Amino acid sequence: MKIMYIFPHPDDESFGPAGVINKQIEEGNEVILLTLTKGGATKVRHQLGLSIEEMGAVREKEMLRVQQTLAISQMTILDYEDGGLAKVNPILLEKELTKWIEKYNPTVVITYPVHGGSGHHDHIALHHSIKHLFYHKPNALSSWKRLAYFTVIDTGLPMFLEGGIPRVTQTKKENVAVTLQLSESNIGAMKKALLCYDTYQEMVKTTNVIDRIGSYTHFELENEKHSKVLSSITELITI
């Protein structure tokens, strides 16, 4: 099946989902990635002495390395304002999303849950646009059967910090609908993907993302109730 990840920034696909992307490709699925910004507004640019445009170009190159590392079949990087998705007319944003989902024709679309994973306004704005589109999708998007949210189970510990302050609302265990176990090779793929971001290695260390994800990746499902936690993002989908 075709699985399409839609995220706001470069590195969103690697800080957590990279291991499960590797697993999904190993299982014979085609994985597609759409990123709405080049992520140039990151504070890392100040340390490097780069403008937003220059930093965006660096992150785009890093992300292209991730595509090769994970063998993502198709990838598109748009150039919306980093940090500005919440200011975009949501009707126009949904039209943009419709265009790309229609182009790639996925069965499953994956993005962030309602809290955005880190509380970032770009993550939250994208969540709401995709969720609204899922319920009002035109006939052209009829192949889209499932909307899933990559998430991290709440342990009481923050995954991301800003200025030493936790900025993440995580998902309660009872809201998890899919849990996939990662192999050592899947975890190794996540490590390789994270290494593609030369400019973010300090963030990799401070977030402790590899240990935080561990051997399991979790998803919520939109408008689905099942008697058991599923073990695949495509389980029980009928074409």
Side-chain angles (χ1 to χ4, degrees):
M1 293 187 186
K2 285 187 179 181
I3 301 169
M4 184 176 183
Y5 286 81
I6 305 179
F7 288 131
H9 313 109
D11 79 40
D12 289 335
E13 83 294 328
S14 294
F15 273 78
V20 78
I21 289 173
N22 177 253
K23 181 179 181 69
Q24 289 162 347
I25 293 171
E26 283 182 344
E27 293 173 343
N29 298 292
E30 181 181 357
V31 173
I32 299 148
L33 177 60
L34 173 65
T35 299
L36 272 74
T37 80
K38 294 185 178 181
T42 173
K43 293 180 180 179
V44 174
R45 77 183 189 278
H46 299 303
Q47 301 170 19
L48 301 174
L50 300 178
S51 68
I52 289 176
E53 291 75 17
E54 290 168 335
M55 188 70 214
V58 169
R59 299 190 78 190
E60 184 174 16
K61 289 179 181 177
E62 292 173 334
M63 194 172 178
L64 288 169
R65 289 166 55 193
V66 172
Q67 182 185 15
Q68 295 176 339
T69 297
L70 294 179
I72 294 171
S73 63
Q74 299 183 80
M75 184 175 77
T76 297
I77 306 170
L78 302 181
D79 197 16
Y80 282 86
E81 179 189 353
D82 181 14
L85 289 185
K87 296 182 287 185
V88 176
N89 182 328
I91 296 173
L92 297 180
L93 186 56
E94 286 183 31
K95 285 183 177 179
E96 183 80 72
L97 293 167
T98 298
K99 178 178 74 174
W100 293 103
I101 295 172
E102 183 178 0
K103 172 181 171 63
Y104 289 126
N105 202 34
T107 304
V108 180
V109 171
I110 298 172
T111 191
Y112 283 116
V114 66
H115 49 69
S118 65
H120 196 299
H121 288 180
D122 282 353
H123 296 200
I124 295 169
L126 182 59
H127 164 88
H128 287 294
S129 289
I130 294 176
K131 179 177 178 178
H132 186 267
L133 184 59
F134 180 67
Y135 282 104
H136 296 86
K137 58 181 182 284
N139 290 334
L141 305 185
S142 60
S143 70
W144 180 11
K145 305 297 184 184
R146 173 171 287 168
L147 175 57
Y149 306 125
F150 165 76
T151 195
V152 177
I153 290 180
D154 187 5
T155 62
L157 299 173
M159 185 169 175
F160 298 105
L161 300 174
E162 185 166 323
I165 301 172
R167 60 179 191 93
V168 64
T169 305
Q170 298 161 5
T171 295
K172 299 298 182 182
K173 188 174 182 179
E174 58 266 27
N175 293 330
V176 169
V178 183
T179 295
L180 292 85
Q181 185 168 7
L182 304 179
S183 67
E184 288 299 322
S185 65
N186 300 149
I187 297 169
M190 181 170 67
K191 292 177 180 178
K192 290 178 182 177
L194 288 166
L195 284 171
C196 292
Y197 288 101
D198 294 329
T199 58
Y200 259 48
Q201 290 310 296
E202 186 61 33
M203 180 72 76
V204 173
K205 293 177 183 177
T206 57
T207 59
N208 198 26
V209 61
I210 295 169
D211 290 338
R212 185 69 180 81
I213 297 298
S215 300
Y216 295 92
T217 300
H218 310 282
F219 297 91
E220 298 178 44
L221 296 179
E222 182 59 45
N223 198 34
E224 292 189 45
K225 297 290 185 181
H226 300 287
S227 59
K228 65 181 181 68
V229 175
L230 306 184
S231 59
S232 167
I233 202 67
T234 58
E235 188 176 346
L236 300 182
I237 293 179
T238 55
I239 304 298

